[in-house]
Amino acid sequence: MAKPVPVPTPETQFYWDRAKERELWLPKCGNCGRLHFSPRAFCPFCSSVDIGWIRSSGRGTVESFIINHTPGPGYAEQGPYAIAFVLLDEGIRLASNLLEVEQTPTAITIGMPVEVTFEERGEWTIPQFRPAGAAA
Amino acid sequence: MDDSPVPASGSSGVSTEIVIAGAAESERLGVIPDESIWQLAAGPTLAALAQCGLTVADVDGIASTLPVVELAYYLGMRPSWLDGTVVGGCSYMLHVRHAAAAIRSGAASVVVVAHGESGRSRVGSPPMVPNPSSAGGQFEQIYGMAGAFSSFTIPTMAYLHRYGLDETALAEVPVAQSAWASQNPRATRGKLLTTDDVLNSRMIAWPFRVLECCPRSDGGGALVLMSAERAADLDLAHPAVTVLGSGEASEAPGSSFMQDLTSFRGFRDSSAAALREAELSTEDIDHLMVYDAYAHLPFYGLEDIGFVGRGEAYEFIRSGATRPGGTLPMNTNGGGLLYAHTGMYGMFAIQEAVRQLRGDAAVPVPDVHTSLVQGVGGMFAAAGALVLAN
């Protein structure tokens, strides 16, 4: 079974289009200036429809995580895997797996600096995170 | 609008006392492969009505997470008030709250709140199909979050880390609750547990072991609500339990979208509303049910409702305060972790509070006059709270 892929909606199409270019972008309100996530057509803080996008630094830290021993669809072959919440430097939280690191609670720690990377999944490109500076 | 009239909060209807006059669970609980979701709901509905000396013909309101038209049809009811609110396992707290308002308004007079779920055997259950275009589908499920055990659990390490605890702290929750479950013949997991029993049990999603995750059960339950005035005219099998206050709230569609990983706004808002309406504070509460599908939830519940300060729940539970003889008996049926968990456990948390207040619990708490029941729906998505009294 293949890993799941998203079905974008008009609000999220830009996010997934940029991901395909291996870029991480976040919605930002042109009225109140605040970032939000998940992407919406209306600002959840001021209800403005003036939603623009900024490119994320792609840097953040591990805010919380589990190591899942009961795999979801498409995840059965790789053994236990981390699912983390990453707090971006911009203050937005994203769910992610943690790539290029041992999938154990000793190798992964709360507060660990991470950076965005991208996983090709069929026709899709999925934002993922790995320890900061892991790039060879 | 400036010229809108002040809401009539002092109108006579608001003061109408609402009671739970009948409450029953399915006779069997756990593995029931020979009953559909409809049977699991209908059995306790008829039993709860019988406790009131009523029949289906006396019912004019129905609420359930089951498709409510089909349930009314199944039971042969002709309702003039229907509530199909489905916001997860706390939906039953919302149903009770909505029923109380409906009875006060005159929209209904006798309301059945019914639950039936074949959580283990899945007899008559709809298929569980994730929506890949939802917020969760696009931004959570694609990372292998494939069930409550792998999504509801993720905020936990942030909580434990914030308060200097390690993952072994979670084990104290099922250990403490096993002091209740081990005396309850209906509990699915009826063994008295040690910390080692829990920590050595099978890993589901580190840091959660299987004994820190609810079992999957088949079962049902039903409540019958009406005004205290109406109940006074009936020959009830058990004393009526009063609904003193209620609250409901929502936060976000998934745990990654919640504002603060260490506190749930839904718990805070719904419990505050319920206590405010009851005109009580946490010091006035004798008995507590906190929806515990997973072992971290009592930590959040105790702190978010305000029974203890931030970061103090672990020591409070470890001290024995929530066990038999403690100052705040909690999850006295064994909780969702040990008693049973059909998927939408809220009905069973309410049932245990009702049993404690009317005096027919398996492990009775002495001198209990007030109970707070705190429910959660989805993965820190929705919440409902009730303050009940005898």
Side-chain angles (χ1 to χ4, degrees):
Chain A
M1 185 185 279
K3 288 179 178 175
V5 294
V7 173
T9 51
E11 298 90 331
T12 66
Q13 190 67 52
F14 185 91
Y15 178 91
W16 291 112
D17 286 347
R18 299 323 298 169
K20 207 157 273 186
E21 306 299 321
R22 303 179 73 84
E23 294 178 3
L24 182 65
W25 289 67
L26 301 170
K28 180 178 180 174
C29 178
N31 181 50
C32 74
R34 293 182 70 171
L35 302 172
H36 70 263
F37 203 85
S38 58
R40 277 158 268 190
F42 297 81
C43 174
F45 303 106
C46 74
S47 303
S48 169
V49 297
D50 183 15
I51 304 296
W53 293 79
I54 61 155
R55 186 170 179 183
S56 167
S57 66
R59 288 189 298 268
T61 55
V62 172
E63 194 181 11
S64 204
F65 69 102
I66 61 168
I67 294 169
N68 190 12
H69 289 241
T70 313
Y75 278 79
E77 287 172 16
Q78 65 191 75
Y81 59 98
I83 309 173
F85 289 163
V86 170
L87 187 61
L88 291 170
D89 289 354
E90 292 86 0
I92 292 294
R93 181 190 305 127
L94 298 179
S96 180
N97 299 127
L98 293 175
L99 309 185
E100 301 173 44
V101 61
E102 202 185 334
Q103 305 289 291
T104 66
T106 45
I108 299 165
T109 53
I110 305 287
M112 184 171 86
V114 291
E115 64 187 18
V116 74
T117 181
F118 293 87
E119 174 196 338
E120 306 297 331
R121 194 178 286 185
E123 294 175 13
W124 294 89
T125 306
I126 308 292
Q128 291 279 20
F129 285 82
R130 63 186 176 192
Chain B
M1 302 240 279
D2 294 347
D3 57 349
S4 61
V6 175
S9 60
S11 71
S12 60
V14 173
S15 64
T16 303
E17 186 179 327
I18 305 298
V19 297
I20 297 172
E25 291 182 4
S26 50
E27 284 182 25
R28 290 179 291 160
L29 198 57
V31 185
I32 314 173
D34 56 331
E35 286 195 35
S36 72
I37 52 175
W38 311 107
Q39 287 171 281
L40 292 169
T45 295
L46 299 178
L49 285 169
Q51 290 173 8
C52 306
L54 298 176
T55 70
V56 166
D58 299 302
V59 177
D60 60 2
I62 185 162
S64 184
T65 58
L66 291 173
V68 72
V69 169
E70 190 164 346
L71 180 59
Y73 156 84
Y74 188 95
L75 284 159
M77 276 180 192
R78 190 173 181 173
S80 52
W81 182 88
L82 301 99
D83 179 7
T85 302
V86 184
V87 292
C90 65
S91 299
Y92 300 98
M93 288 76 175
L94 276 70
H95 294 153
V96 168
R97 173 172 163 83
H98 300 172
I103 294 164
R104 287 190 175 118
S105 76
S109 62
V110 175
V111 175
V112 163
V113 178
H115 169 69
E117 193 166 4
S118 186
R120 187 180 188 93
S121 306
R122 304 211 58 79
V123 183
S125 301
M128 292 197 278
V129 183
N131 174 3
S133 68
S134 66
Q138 292 190 58
F139 302 109
E140 290 187 337
Q141 290 159 20
I142 59 169
Y143 298 108
M145 293 164 70
F149 61 86
S150 60
S151 52
F152 213 165
T153 51
I154 301 179
T156 306
M157 286 309 296
Y159 171 91
L160 295 174
H161 186 262
R162 176 171 180 173
Y163 297 116
L165 300 168
D166 67 26
E167 84 278 8
T168 63
L170 294 170
E172 296 308 319
V173 173
V175 165
Q177 292 181 190
S178 75
W180 298 102
S182 60
Q183 301 179 59
N184 187 343
R186 268 170 76 83
T188 300
R189 294 167 170 170
K191 184 172 175 275
L192 191 63
L193 298 171
T194 66
T195 307
D196 282 346
D197 289 336
V198 178
L199 294 177
N200 292 328
S201 69
R202 181 165 55 92
M203 190 66 77
I204 298 294
W206 185 93
F208 285 80
R209 280 78 173 175
V210 69
L211 290 174
E212 295 160 338
C213 303
C214 59
R216 291 182 184 186
S217 317
D218 305 325
L223 305 166
V224 180
L225 284 100
M226 63 187 70
S227 68
E229 194 179 359
R230 175 76 185 267
D233 292 337
L234 300 172
D235 183 19
L236 301 179
H238 300 277
V241 168
T242 303
V243 182
L244 284 186
S246 63
E248 63 189 87
S250 74
E251 179 159 0
S255 55
S256 76
F257 308 115
M258 68 195 294
Q259 193 171 19
D260 175 354
L261 295 183
T262 69
S263 173
F264 176 34
R265 190 180 78 195
F267 278 169
R268 299 197 306 271
D269 289 356
S270 61
S271 64
L275 286 165
R276 192 164 55 239
E277 185 189 353
E279 299 182 330
L280 295 177
S281 69
T282 51
E283 294 91 70
D284 302 313
I285 299 298
D286 301 328
H287 171 256
L288 174 65
M289 298 298 293
V290 174
Y291 194 118
D292 58 325
Y294 296 90
H296 59 314
L297 294 169
F299 291 169
Y300 285 70
L302 284 165
E303 296 176 17
D304 287 334
I305 301 168
F307 285 104
V308 299
R310 291 275 157 221
E312 294 175 2
Y314 164 69
E315 281 299 337
F316 185 72
I317 290 171
R318 213 168 68 109
S319 76
T322 62
R323 297 185 188 209
T327 54
L328 184 64
M330 180 182 78
N331 294 345
T332 52
N333 57 356
L337 290 175
L338 304 179
Y339 180 66
H341 197 294
T342 52
M344 297 205 194
Y345 166 74
M347 173 58 75
F348 298 95
I350 301 170
Q351 292 282 341
E352 172 65 11
V354 168
R355 287 192 297 264
Q356 290 291 353
L357 289 164
R358 67 188 197 182
D360 62 332
V363 192
V365 173
D367 302 322
V368 56
H369 298 294
T370 55
S371 178
L372 194 155
V373 192
Q374 178 67 67
V376 57
M379 316 304 142
F380 288 123
L386 301 175
V387 175
L388 306 176
N390 58 16

